[in-house]
Amino acid sequence: MHTEQTFAIIKPDAVAAGNSGKIITMIEDSGFTIAALKKVHLTRDQAAGFYAVHSERPFFNDLLNFMTSGPAVLMILEKEGAIRAWRDLMGPTNSNEAPKGTVRGEFGTNIEKNASHGSDAPETAAFETAYFFSCFERV
Ligand code: CMP
């Protein structure tokens, strides 16, 4: 285990519901350091580039509509084993299957409106953090 960075989004559903502060508290209470943070209303092009791996999936258009429906909070989180730890704290992708005490279990609605995103591997964490943050915006 080593100190690692991962990319996190508090998605528009959770921001609109006023839950970003509670989610950030969960993150800090779980021992993460927030290495970068900004609130952004994504454009369609920004969202499409970020989710390019899903461009052939049937839910892609709905995903872009949702991710551009309002502001999101973008973060780089740091901790030992951060990628796994943030995915564990979020819970499963489908909020209906996420246990209480996880971000998606507390604040998500379904598989689309699932409150949060996290990188799934070191390569995606490197791509996703660099996609949204320049070297001057991260500590
Ligand atoms: P996320 O971790 O941001 O990565 C891709 C997103 O696509 C995922 O969270 C879900 O919000 C969304 N997604 C995955 N599968 C489906 C699906 N079957 N229908 C709608 N959205 C989906």
Side-chain angles (χ1 to χ4, degrees):
M1 225 35 132
H2 60 284
T3 300
E4 179 175 75
Q5 290 191 332
T6 191
F7 179 70
I9 304 179
I10 302 175
K11 293 188 179 182
D13 57 332
V15 174
N19 290 325
S20 41
K22 287 170 218 149
I23 294 171
I24 289 168
T25 296
M26 286 173 77
I27 288 168
E28 293 193 318
D29 285 351
S30 300
F32 292 91
T33 298
I34 297 174
L37 182 152
K38 60 187 170 190
K39 186 173 182 179
V40 175
H41 192 149
L42 295 178
T43 66
R44 206 166 178 86
D45 279 353
Q46 286 170 335
F50 178 72
Y51 280 121
V53 290
H54 297 303
S55 61
E56 302 302 319
R57 308 286 280 275
F59 58 82
F60 187 61
N61 197 47
D62 289 341
L63 177 62
L64 297 193
N65 289 341
F66 167 55
M67 291 302 293
T68 58
S69 65
V73 175
L74 315 180
M75 290 173 286
I76 299 176
L77 307 181
E78 188 170 293
K79 181 186 162 119
E80 266 196 22
I83 294 170
R84 179 77 258 157
W86 172 230
R87 290 179 72 81
D88 288 347
L89 184 59
M90 288 194 296
T93 304
N94 189 342
S95 303
N96 293 313
E97 295 164 6
K100 285 287 161 205
T102 63
V103 171
R104 287 164 169 161
E106 296 292 335
F107 304 114
T109 305
N110 52 35
I111 196 164
E112 178 183 78
K113 296 181 175 56
N114 65 354
S116 59
H117 166 84
S119 311
D120 62 2
E123 302 72 33
T124 44
F127 165 76
E128 292 177 353
T129 54
Y131 186 83
F132 282 120
F133 290 98
S134 82
C135 57
F136 302 108
E137 294 177 303
R138 44 203 290 185
V139 293

